[in-house]
Amino acid sequence: MPRQTTFLKAGTHEPKWVVVDAANVPLGRLAARIATVLQGKHSPDWTPHAMSGDYVIVINAGQVALTGRKPEQKMRKTYSGHPGGLKHIPYGWMQEHRPIKLVEEAVRRMLPKTRLGRVMLSNLKVYEGAEHPHQAQQPVAL
């Protein structure tokens, strides 16, 4: 007799807190690992329609690695909607001035583009240095 797949009901998952050190880790590999944990795909009770992921705290976002010539060649593009409103910002500048935004956007692009994906992104906490205010949640290292 085949086994029946069991799904979690919404609100029954107890999320854990996980700390990730981003120092000298390539941005894409870091974002892929974080997106997996935020979605809950790392655990056996993953449910596609319910929040089954964990909270993720990223520390040392200012020291994330960009390999090759990505700091000069890769660009973040934003468009204001007005003629001539396209801006190109190099990833090297982002790494120096806005490393939190750099990590958050990389993870956001790897999450589902749905309401649930936006909730998953709210469970991501990124900090530029090694300190974070979530010691009370007793996070474990990833």
Side-chain angles (χ1 to χ4, degrees):
M1 196 154 141
R3 291 187 192 182
Q4 186 173 3
T5 303
T6 58
F7 286 123
L8 290 177
K9 292 185 179 172
T12 58
H13 174 68
E14 286 296 324
K16 300 180 187 92
W17 285 75
V18 178
V19 174
V20 178
D21 190 1
N24 301 321
V25 179
L27 179 62
R29 291 174 191 260
L30 176 74
R33 184 69 178 124
I34 292 170
T36 302
V37 174
L38 286 173
Q39 292 177 69
K41 288 191 171 185
H42 66 292
S43 65
D45 58 355
W46 173 71
T47 304
H49 63 275
M51 188 62 206
S52 58
D54 296 333
Y55 286 88
V56 177
I57 304 164
V58 180
I59 57 174
N60 295 322
Q63 300 171 18
V64 70
L66 294 174
T67 59
R69 295 181 62 194
K70 288 188 190 92
E72 306 94 44
Q73 289 183 342
K74 193 165 176 74
M75 299 283 179
R76 174 179 180 248
K77 297 175 188 166
T78 58
Y79 183 58
S80 68
H82 295 285
L86 183 63
K87 292 182 185 177
H88 298 278
I89 304 169
Y91 270 38
W93 186 91
M94 291 276 295
Q95 188 178 19
E96 287 179 24
H97 296 91
R98 296 189 182 166
I100 294 171
K101 185 86 169 167
L102 184 69
V103 173
E104 284 177 349
E105 282 194 357
V107 173
R108 179 183 60 83
R109 291 178 179 143
M110 293 188 182
L111 291 174
K113 280 67 173 177
T114 60
R115 288 180 285 186
L116 189 58
R118 289 189 291 274
V119 172
M120 290 173 189
L121 190 62
S122 70
N123 291 348
L124 175 66
K125 315 296 181 192
V126 183
Y127 299 98
E128 191 170 346
E131 299 296 320
H132 64 85
H134 304 288
Q135 293 299 334
Q137 283 73 26
Q138 300 168 349
V140 295
L142 184 64

